Amino acid sequence: MPPSPEDDRGRAVLDAQDIARALTRISHEILERNRGADDLLLLGLPTRGVPLARRIAERIGEVEGRVPEVGSLDVTLYRDDLRKHPARGPQRTEIPGSGVDGKTVVLVDDVLYSGRTIRAALDALADYGRPGVVRLAVLVDRGHRELPIRADHVGKNLPSARTERVMVRLVESDGYDEVRIADAAGAEGQA
Amino acid sequence: MKHLLSIDDLTVDDIETLFGTAAEMHDVQRRSVKKLPALRGRTVINLFFEDSTRTRSSFEIAGKWLSADTINISAKGSSASKGESLRDTVLTVTAMGVDALVVRHAASGAAEQISNWVDVAVINAGDGMHEHPTQALLDAYTLQRQLGDLAGRHVVIVGDLTHSRVFRSNVKLLRKLGAEVTVVAPPTLMPSGIDAWSKEAGFAASWDLDEVLPSADAVMMLRVQRERMQGGFFPTPREYTVGYGLTRGRLSLLKPDTPICHPGPMNRGLEIAPEAADAASSKVLDQVSSGVAVRMSVLYHLLAGEEVA
């Protein structure tokens, strides 16, 4: 899929190689923190957190010899800004059959911004059970938190202005891997 | 989408969105915590001027699982029986500060009329012999889960068509989704004007159930509405069963695994034999659980994003 003209705006901050390296490092960090892959459950937040979670799981599998459980956790129905937008349909939530109880759950998302998505994800997770530990892995942390939330594993810290837009493109959804940042006054950033 | 009054209000895209959301809502039923915060702080009133158990409780559960406050008002024993006009009842209830009214009424067009009086979302939960859109949505959703895409599938709807709002909504919805539809009823229960409507909407009408069943991909049996049967529409219940009931004998006319639907409550032994109602291919209980999911989806899409009208 060739990039559309809109995707040429701004500047690239991570290319495919950078993204691959960041995910490899995050995978190792997760293993180190968890002392192995036991009881590990990676939950991607739709849309782009899901393929990221799968990629991290694959890398962990390469190191540990077995691929940890992967799922998805949609937070649409838990958002605090539901009233401000036209109703959006929820996306897939897939929790592996063994559930979340007692697991080390790593939430995976593409961009960490206000922290509100993660707040919603923690609420959603609580409705599925009681994980032993919850951690957060993000590809990009662009700052501007509005809640006391931080990531445990960060691919890249990307200082940004609120008026800027951070665009994450992944092979699975967009045909190529890239992170760009662009001026888009008035437009809301992701996450 | 502000109200859900008729299937006519929905585009095919709307229907797909509603079904997609319903599929996610369906998963909530399997969780230990059956609660989503999406409609927290919203108030939904079930305003039922006609008897109903399953539709009302289905809407009530749907609202509660989305964290809305749901309140049931039944017209029996209420101010309506003391002579208050429909308009006054509706305005009074709405003045309490509600976000949605789920209305069932014996008069066709009641929900639409109410939507002209109030500024809140109105959902038609059955108006006279006109429409029952959420029933049609849950029927089609149930069939789609079983059969996949309904385009080109042959759905047979059997029973008291004259008095059936379920049939009217179902025909509209199934045609929108591209299904082939045949409706079957005794001549006395075939609505007047069916010839013109069937030609315009592209469905078939028949008096002969045995002829139609072998090509069916799904069968929907309608309830014989005894409470509306004062006109001598058929000589005896027995005769109705012989001609139009889904009897044990007729089950053998169906292709294997053909889903059988019934909106309930069933008159066992009248329009549907126990062997059909309890068959492995019976979708009756699936319809009930789908009903909650579909109504959650409808409430969500009508109420969640609505900040400015």
Side-chain angles (χ1 to χ4, degrees):
Chain A
M1 194 199 307
S4 67
E6 188 208 44
D7 292 331
D8 289 339
R9 288 179 309 153
R11 61 191 167 89
V13 285
L14 295 178
D15 62 19
Q17 282 280 325
D18 298 329
I19 291 173
R21 278 187 216 106
L23 292 178
T24 302
R25 179 172 50 75
I26 288 174
S27 307
H28 283 283
E29 284 180 14
I30 289 171
L31 278 173
E32 238 176 71
R33 278 290 286 281
N34 198 49
R35 296 197 177 88
D38 289 344
D39 290 330
L40 199 58
L41 169 59
L42 303 172
L43 288 181
L45 306 188
T47 5
R48 291 189 178 76
V50 179
L52 289 176
R54 291 212 184 92
R55 290 193 204 180
I56 292 172
E58 271 170 33
R59 283 167 163 79
I60 289 177
E62 283 164 19
V63 178
E64 290 291 299
R66 67 191 169 92
V67 181
E69 289 186 304
V70 190
S72 62
L73 181 67
D74 183 62
V75 305
T76 308
L77 299 167
Y78 292 83
R79 298 197 71 93
D80 59 8
D81 57 356
L82 272 177
R83 288 193 185 202
K84 290 189 186 153
H85 303 286
R88 273 202 321 181
Q91 303 192 54
R92 276 235 57 75
T93 289
E94 274 171 54
I95 307 285
S98 55
V100 303
D101 288 340
K103 301 268 178 68
T104 297
V105 173
V106 181
L107 300 173
V108 182
D109 204 0
D110 53 353
V111 180
L112 178 59
Y113 186 25
S114 65
R116 289 176 190 270
T117 303
I118 306 305
R119 197 279 313 158
L122 291 171
D123 282 358
L125 199 52
D127 283 354
Y128 284 94
R130 186 179 185 277
V133 179
V134 183
R135 297 210 171 93
L136 174 61
V138 296
L139 183 59
V140 173
D141 181 350
R142 61 170 296 190
H144 304 290
R145 215 75 75 239
E146 294 165 5
L147 295 169
I149 280 169
R150 65 169 177 79
D152 299 272
H153 312 290
V154 179
K156 181 174 178 60
N157 282 298
L158 181 62
S160 65
R162 279 177 189 273
T163 51
E164 285 173 315
R165 218 176 109 93
V166 175
M167 292 166 289
V168 174
R169 301 288 174 244
L170 297 176
V171 171
E172 292 88 336
S173 48
D174 313 281
Y176 62 101
D177 279 353
E178 191 180 57
V179 179
R180 298 186 79 83
I181 186 164
D183 247 342
E188 277 204 22
Q190 292 186 11
Chain B
M1 198 164 57
K2 161 106 174 145
H3 307 293
L4 179 58
L5 304 172
S6 160
I7 293 298
D8 296 334
D9 298 343
L10 299 172
T11 65
V12 172
D13 280 351
D14 291 336
I15 296 162
E16 273 166 18
T17 303
L18 285 172
F19 284 1
T21 301
E24 294 306 311
M25 301 297 187
H26 221 130
D27 289 342
V28 174
Q29 293 177 28
R30 289 196 283 274
R31 299 186 352 190
S32 54
V33 178
K34 296 183 186 63
K35 200 82 168 170
L36 294 164
L39 297 184
R40 204 159 62 89
R42 301 306 184 97
T43 304
V44 178
I45 291 203
N46 287 328
L47 190 55
F48 277 59
F49 295 90
E50 258 192 344
D51 287 337
S52 161
T53 305
R54 76 186 60 211
T55 303
R56 199 199 60 213
S57 47
S58 181
F59 268 110
E60 186 177 1
I61 291 175
K64 286 187 165 156
W65 284 358
L66 286 169
S67 302
D69 293 299
T70 55
I71 288 144
N72 296 317
I73 298 179
S74 96
K76 273 182 189 155
S78 80
S79 47
S81 63
K82 297 176 191 162
E84 188 176 59
S85 75
L86 177 63
R87 186 164 185 271
D88 285 333
T89 303
V90 166
L91 291 180
T92 302
V93 166
T94 311
M96 294 178 195
V98 307
D99 299 290
L101 291 175
V102 178
V103 181
R104 167 164 295 188
H105 199 283
S108 303
E112 187 171 353
Q113 179 66 272
I114 288 170
S115 74
N116 295 325
W117 292 331
V118 296
D119 199 28
V120 303
V122 177
I123 297 169
N124 183 2
D127 59 333
M129 301 172 198
H130 178 225
E131 281 220 43
H132 190 355
T134 58
Q135 178 70 42
L137 286 167
L138 77 89
D139 288 339
Y141 172 80
T142 306
L143 290 181
Q144 214 177 63
R145 277 168 77 90
Q146 163 92 14
L147 300 172
D149 189 358
L150 295 182
R153 295 308 195 107
H154 183 207
V155 181
V156 176
I157 305 176
V158 189
D160 171 8
L161 303 179
T162 295
H163 300 102
S164 177
R165 51 198 174 209
V166 174
F167 137 74
R168 286 179 178 78
S169 288
N170 259 316
V171 167
K172 290 181 184 178
L173 181 58
L174 290 167
R175 289 302 298 143
K176 274 191 196 221
L177 295 174
E180 304 295 324
V181 179
T182 304
V183 300
V184 182
T188 48
L189 291 172
M190 192 64 89
S192 58
I194 190 89
D195 288 342
W197 187 32
S198 61
K199 226 168 264 160
E200 184 200 323
F203 66 95
S206 168
W207 298 341
D208 188 345
L209 183 56
D210 292 334
E211 185 188 81
V212 173
L213 285 181
S215 64
D217 293 310
V219 183
M220 288 184 184
M221 302 307 297
L222 299 173
R223 183 171 67 93
V224 172
Q225 306 189 35
R226 295 179 197 231
E227 71 273 21
R228 299 190 215 268
M229 287 295 159
Q230 286 102 32
F233 292 100
F234 45 85
T236 64
R238 175 84 197 129
E239 198 156 324
Y240 181 88
T241 307
V242 168
Y244 296 95
L246 189 57
T247 56
R248 187 165 57 171
R250 287 205 171 95
L251 283 178
S252 61
L253 296 175
L254 292 171
K255 290 184 272 188
D257 303 324
T258 303
I260 299 166
C261 295
H262 190 297
M266 293 187 282
N267 295 304
R268 279 177 186 255
L270 181 51
E271 74 266 5
I272 188 164
E275 290 84 353
D278 302 330
S281 56
S282 167
K283 295 285 140 197
V284 173
L285 294 177
D286 287 341
Q287 287 173 279
V288 177
S289 78
S290 297
V292 175
V294 165
R295 289 177 177 120
M296 287 173 80
S297 174
V298 168
L299 286 172
Y300 173 73
H301 282 285
L302 286 183
L303 292 180
E306 170 224 43
E307 174 86 323
V308 282

